Amino acid sequence: MSLEQLKSDVAELAAFLQQAKGARVKDVLTTAKAAAEREIVNLEMKAKIAAERQANGATDAKRYLHELTDYGWDQSAKFVKLFITLNGVQGCTEENVTVTYTPSSLQLHVRDLQGKDFGLTVNNLLHSIDVEKSYRKIKTDMVAIYLKKVKEDEHWDVLTAIQKRLKQKKDSEMSKDGDNPESALVNIMKKMYNDGDSKTKQMIAKAWTESQDKVKLGKETGGDLDSFGDL
């Protein structure tokens, strides 16, 4: 899927979110929007790293880029700390393990680790960070990234603003809603499913499945993606 199509999908999902009333409808749309935003981040990261690798010469351009998605995180009064496991990373030179910071994001790039490149991007951090005072350490089989909090002692209950919105939507399911969200959800998602390409269909199917897993069997209305067509 192209970057332009993903941005169009995000805009359409945002428009649906403004119209949605049911808590579960909002939850599924928010999840789908977050998935599309992650795809945008990944494509932008690939483009940036590809440009860097091309600038560094043919050797970099031939190595395969592995996108990292798993990491742990913790915090202290002054720092938010990310821990990314990478076997053998301690063998990399300092210049081959770089982190680019902005007040609301970070991008890790590990070059030529056992003949491969690795990248991790985290956008929309929950709160602002101090770029100048943030840093990283190379440890045994791990890269540790220390994000300096602008406001010390400020607690981060999640890492990103997107995760915060998803948590709020999930919490809202606890309140009662008089709407019938399943009917509205099926209609909205069917339209997007029918109009989307294969990547969009996979994204919607995943969001739908995750939502349906939360519903008790006795409350299901029978709507499913089988009526949308084959993946």
Side-chain angles (χ1 to χ4, degrees):
M1 186 184 298
S2 68
L3 186 61
E4 291 74 18
Q5 180 60 53
L6 281 167
K7 289 181 177 179
S8 176
D9 288 347
V10 168
E12 187 172 6
L13 285 163
F16 280 134
L17 269 171
Q18 291 180 346
Q19 300 174 14
K21 296 180 180 180
R24 286 193 59 245
V25 174
K26 291 180 180 179
D27 183 42
V28 173
L29 290 173
T30 300
T31 301
K33 182 171 176 287
E37 289 172 336
R38 284 194 297 271
E39 288 292 328
I40 290 173
V41 169
N42 288 337
L43 286 178
E44 291 176 339
M45 180 186 72
K46 284 182 178 179
K48 181 177 179 180
I49 293 178
E52 291 177 353
R53 295 167 76 189
Q54 186 173 9
N56 288 335
T59 301
D60 270 14
K62 290 180 180 179
R63 291 196 302 270
Y64 182 75
L65 173 64
H66 294 260
E67 297 175 25
L68 301 171
T69 57
D70 294 330
Y71 55 85
W73 73 283
D74 197 359
Q75 63 184 305
S76 63
K78 296 182 179 181
F79 288 91
V80 171
K81 298 169 280 188
L82 275 69
F83 306 101
I84 302 96
T85 299
L86 275 174
N87 291 333
V89 70
Q90 67 272 14
C92 290
T93 61
E94 289 288 331
E95 57 268 24
N96 276 359
V97 182
T98 59
V99 183
T100 303
Y101 307 94
T102 75
S104 61
S105 70
L106 68 96
Q107 183 180 78
L108 167 69
H109 188 191
V110 179
R111 297 179 178 85
D112 199 15
L113 173 56
Q114 300 172 359
K116 301 174 183 177
D117 284 8
F118 296 85
L120 169 71
T121 298
V122 180
N123 280 342
N124 301 306
L125 293 170
L126 183 62
H127 300 296
S128 296
I129 62 171
D130 187 326
V131 173
E132 296 300 322
K133 295 181 180 179
S134 297
Y135 62 97
R136 64 102 181 100
K137 288 184 177 180
I138 302 174
K139 301 187 177 184
T140 302
D141 296 332
M142 177 184 294
V143 177
I145 300 174
Y146 297 81
L147 306 176
K148 178 65 173 65
K149 296 179 179 179
V150 169
K151 295 182 180 179
E152 294 186 4
D153 296 318
E154 183 174 46
H155 179 73
W156 294 32
D157 56 346
V158 293
L159 185 61
T160 70
I162 292 174
Q163 292 169 345
K164 180 75 171 181
R165 290 197 295 269
L166 289 173
K167 184 176 183 296
Q168 290 172 338
K169 294 301 180 184
K170 184 178 293 186
D171 291 344
S172 71
E173 290 183 348
M174 302 299 293
S175 63
K176 293 184 179 179
D177 195 321
D179 297 337
N180 180 7
E182 281 79 8
S183 177
L185 175 64
V186 170
N187 290 333
I188 292 172
M189 302 304 277
K190 177 181 282 190
K191 179 181 182 302
M192 295 185 64
Y193 188 92
N194 286 335
D195 293 344
D197 58 16
S198 60
K199 188 70 176 181
T200 300
K201 291 179 179 179
Q202 291 174 6
M203 179 180 68
I204 293 173
K206 183 175 184 295
W208 175 268
T209 301
E210 291 176 351
S211 175
Q212 289 297 93
D213 287 344
K214 301 174 184 177
V215 183
K216 292 182 180 180
L217 183 61
K219 293 184 179 180
E220 291 180 348
T221 61
D224 58 46
L225 288 173
D226 290 341
S227 60
F228 294 1
D230 295 329
L231 284 174

